[in-house]
């Protein structure tokens, strides 16, 4: 079976000459469908750079990346937009909901950009909000929701387009411990439903929820181990 | 991603910042409204002046005795009079095919009195063809007749201003009015022609030529000959025919020693229209500058919006918005600003042009309404495209990192 993520020799270099910084230095990583992977590392270890490359937001300097069997090394910007829209659901540390726009409209947005019809879009967005337990909050604006609720809206938005990969960047970084628990439970449920999740974090207890922990040090993979469930 | 969705997202963006959107629209609104209103005022002035000249008859030429130019030929020893024979000679189907009639005119500045009231005006002595040539239709009573002229009857036809001054509400017909000590019987009145600005076309009193010459002016030169051309188009041809006939009769050898002058109403109208046209263009150009400034206002505010919403653009791109979708979203925001601003501007201009400004009733130029609106929409497109392109070209990771 094709892995969802297949990274081979990914290198990312910023700057040149004396100021050259190798943020990633030859990353080989394969993530299978249905896996729940935490990518750990201290600041500056390259995990955010890796997240940008995996999320098709940035291109690597060297190496090959295939997402869900599709090579995305040579895609242009427009094609990358389509890949992000169809294959990846993003969950950000700072929620990144669009302000002054209702929870429902936020969740609908990926489907709007995909060109799904209004009625179907609405039904799917409502279903996604219900699955994160926010059916009663769908007409609220982001600033009327708590941090935990906003992050659950973001999860619903990431889910609604049925992506191959859920990519979470420090999803609990801005949350209190109770909301952290809620969001991590939700990620656990999604994993149980068979979704592939990649989560970037620097907290051990958050990473402990994942089935596999990849640790980065100075742009290289230093450790790759499975948690015993 | 269809157009309606993009328009909806654009409208949401505008609604999110109502004061700023409103002020931006105001720039376009003022520009559009001022273009339309100023053009309408210029056009209105042109229409008013043209109408006032036309009330004298568009196809008439006035041959005046004497010359207005100061540099007379000093070798010229005498000025020939403008005579009734000159007028008769101008109606010549062979030499002057475009001349329909020629009417001799003398004027006498007098004071006319009726019972207690008196009014200073000038009595015009002329022939019956005067009414047709000067575009003065008879309101009540009858015009002068050939009989009146032949018999030097003391008949008079009055304009509305003279009637108002002398008679007030009394019916002037068959009353006797005394002008320059000579009693005249009012036989008819001329319909109101309206006065516009510099000239009162209703301040006239018309009597038979023979009567005025014998009682008031004496038998000197005519003041003028009113020549009626067959149409306003042929008035220029008629002018040269009149000139060549009179040059021959008066022994004129060059333009410098010509002892008469021909005024062409049609030429006067086109000169006046040209002059006003230049001012209208000038006014329109000034207004167009304000439209341009309004357009720059759109660019400015859209740039602010793009900077302010960089993060939002990043989010949209991360979840799969294509460059074209972002571009369209911001272009539509700019377009909506300019379309609504332009639309309100047109409405406001339509209201404003109902007001008479400085004696000029503005007359809307339809092309200026359409033009100003189209330009305001294009301004939205043109001035919105730079910020929209800038938004669309933002790289998602940088946009997401933006605080």
């Amino acid at each position: 079976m094709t892995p969802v993520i297949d990274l081979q020799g990914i290198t990312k270099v910023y700057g040149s000459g004396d100021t050259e910084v190798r943020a990633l230095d030859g990353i080989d990583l394969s993530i299978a469908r249905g896996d729940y992977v935490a990518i750990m590392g201290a600041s500056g270890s390259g995990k955010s750079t890796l997240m940008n490359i995996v999320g098709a937001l940035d291109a690597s300097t060297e190496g090959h990346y295939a997402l869900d069997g599709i090579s995305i090394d040579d895609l242009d910007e427009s094609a990358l937009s389509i890949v992000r829209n169809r294959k990846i659901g993003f969950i950000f540390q700072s929620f990144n909901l669009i302000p002054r726009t209702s929870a429902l409209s936020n969740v609908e947005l990926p489907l709007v950009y995909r060109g799904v019809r209004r009625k179907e879009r609405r039904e799917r967005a409502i279903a996604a909000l219900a699955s994160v337990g926010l059916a009663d909050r769908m007409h609220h604006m982001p600033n009327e929701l708590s941090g935990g609720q906003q992050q659950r809206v973001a999860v619903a938005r990431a889910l609604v387009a049925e992506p191959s990969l859920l990519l979470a960047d420090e999803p609990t970084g801005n949350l209190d411990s109770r909301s952290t628990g809620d969001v991590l439970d939700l990620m656990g449920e999604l994993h149980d439903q068979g979704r592939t999740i990649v989560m970037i974090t620097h907290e051990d207890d958050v990473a402990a929820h994942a089935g596999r922990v990849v640790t980065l040090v100075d742009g290289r993979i230093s450790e790759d181990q499975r948690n015993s469930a | 991603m269809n157009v309606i969705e993009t328009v909806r997202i654009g409208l949401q963006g505008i609604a999110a910042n109502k004061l700023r959107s409103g002020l931006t629209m105001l720039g376009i609104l003022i520009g559009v409204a001022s273009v339309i209103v100023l053009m309408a005022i210029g056009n209105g002035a042109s229409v008013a002046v043209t109408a006032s000249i036309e009330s004298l008859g568009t196809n008439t030429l006035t041959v005046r005795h004497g010359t207005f130019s100061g540099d007379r030929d000093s070798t010229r020893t005498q000025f020939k009079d403008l005579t009734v024979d000159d007028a008769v000679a101008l109606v010549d189907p062979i030499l002057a095919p475009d001349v329909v009639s020629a009417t001799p005119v003398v004027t006498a500045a007098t004071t006319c009195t009726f019972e207690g009231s008196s009014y200073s005006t000038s009595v015009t002595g002329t022939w019956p063809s005067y009414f047709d040539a000067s575009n003065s239709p008879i309101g009540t009573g009858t015009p002068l007749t050939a009989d009146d002229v032949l018999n030097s009857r003391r008949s008079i036809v009055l304009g509305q201003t003279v009637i108002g001054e002398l008679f007030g509400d009394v019916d002037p017909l068959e009353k006797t009015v005394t002008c320059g000590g000579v009693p005249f019987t009012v036989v008819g009145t001329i319909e109101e022609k309206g006065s516009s600005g510099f000239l009162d076309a209703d301040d006239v009193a018309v009597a038979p030529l023979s009567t005025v010459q014998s009682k008031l002016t004496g038998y000197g030169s005519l003041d003028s000959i009113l020549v009626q051309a067959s149409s306003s188009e042929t008035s220029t041809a008629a002018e040269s025919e009149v000139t060549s006939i009179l040059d021959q009769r008066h022994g004129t050898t060059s333009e410098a020693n010509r002892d008469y002058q021909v005024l062409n109403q049609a030429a006067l109208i086109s000169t006046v229209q040209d002059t006003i046209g230049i001012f209208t263009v000038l006014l329109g150009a000034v207004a167009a500058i304000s439209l341009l400034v309004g357009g720059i206002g759109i660019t400015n505010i859209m740039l602010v919006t793009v900077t302010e919403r960089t993060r939002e653009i990043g989010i949209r791109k991360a979840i799969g918005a294509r460059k074209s979708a972002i571009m369209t979203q911001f272009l539509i925001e700019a377009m909506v600003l300019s379309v609504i601003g332009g639309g309100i501007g047109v409405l406001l201009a339509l209201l404003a042009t109902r007001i008479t400004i400085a004696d000029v009733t503005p007359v809307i130029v339809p092309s200026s309404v359409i033009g100003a609106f189209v330009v305001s929409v294009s301004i939205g497109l043109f001035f919105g495209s730079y910020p929209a392109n800038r938004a669309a070209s933002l790289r998602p990771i940088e946009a997401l990192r933006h605080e």
Side-chain angles (χ1 to χ4, degrees), chain B residues 341-378:
Chain B
I344 298 175
V346 168
L347 289 182
L348 213 67
L350 295 182
L351 283 179
T353 46
R354 290 161 157 247
I355 302 163
T356 300
I357 304 150
D359 269 350
V360 173
T361 310
V363 177
I364 288 174
V365 187
S367 61
S368 80
V369 176
I370 298 161
F373 189 71
V374 168
V375 165
S376 74
V377 174
S378 332

Side-chain angles (χ1 to χ4, degrees), chain A residues 148-163:
Chain A
Q149 287 170 333
Q150 287 189 51
Q151 194 61 301
R152 275 147 66 196
V153 172
V155 172
R157 184 178 66 187
L159 283 177
V160 75
E162 300 287 336

Side-chain angles (χ1 to χ4, degrees), chain B residues 26 33-36 38-39 60 92 104 147-148 151 181 212 257 267 269 278 291 303 311 317 323 328 357 363 386:
Chain B
L26 199 62
S34 54
V35 166
I36 297 173
L38 291 179
M39 297 284 274
T60 55
D92 186 324
D147 227 27
D148 290 329
N151 298 319
V212 174
N257 64 9
I269 287 178
I278 290 168
L291 197 54
L303 281 176
R311 197 181 176 83
K317 286 199 147 187
K323 196 174 171 176
T328 326
I357 304 150
V363 177
Y386 173 65

Side-chain angles (χ1 to χ4, degrees), chain B residues 276-334:
Chain B
I276 294 175
I278 290 168
F279 280 104
T280 307
V281 168
L282 207 66
L283 288 174
V286 171
I289 290 172
S290 70
L291 197 54
L292 185 74
V293 173
I296 294 169
I298 287 189
T299 311
N300 197 4
I301 224 64
M302 290 307 295
L303 281 176
V304 171
T305 305
V306 167
T307 309
E308 215 180 53
R309 285 157 65 187
T310 301
R311 197 181 176 83
E312 178 193 322
I313 295 164
I315 301 167
R316 287 182 186 276
K317 286 199 147 187
I319 62 177
R322 273 188 255 176
K323 196 174 171 176
S324 60
I326 302 286
M327 178 99 186
T328 326
Q329 177 189 337
F330 281 91
L331 256 190
I332 281 178
E333 278 190 34

Side-chain angles (χ1 to χ4, degrees), chain A residues 84-85 94 96 113 121, chain B residues 5 311 316-317 319 397:
Chain A
R84 286 197 295 268
N85 186 255
S94 47
N96 279 349
Y113 288 122
R121 205 165 71 201
Chain B
E5 286 305 328
R311 197 181 176 83
R316 287 182 186 276
K317 286 199 147 187
I319 62 177
I397 39 169

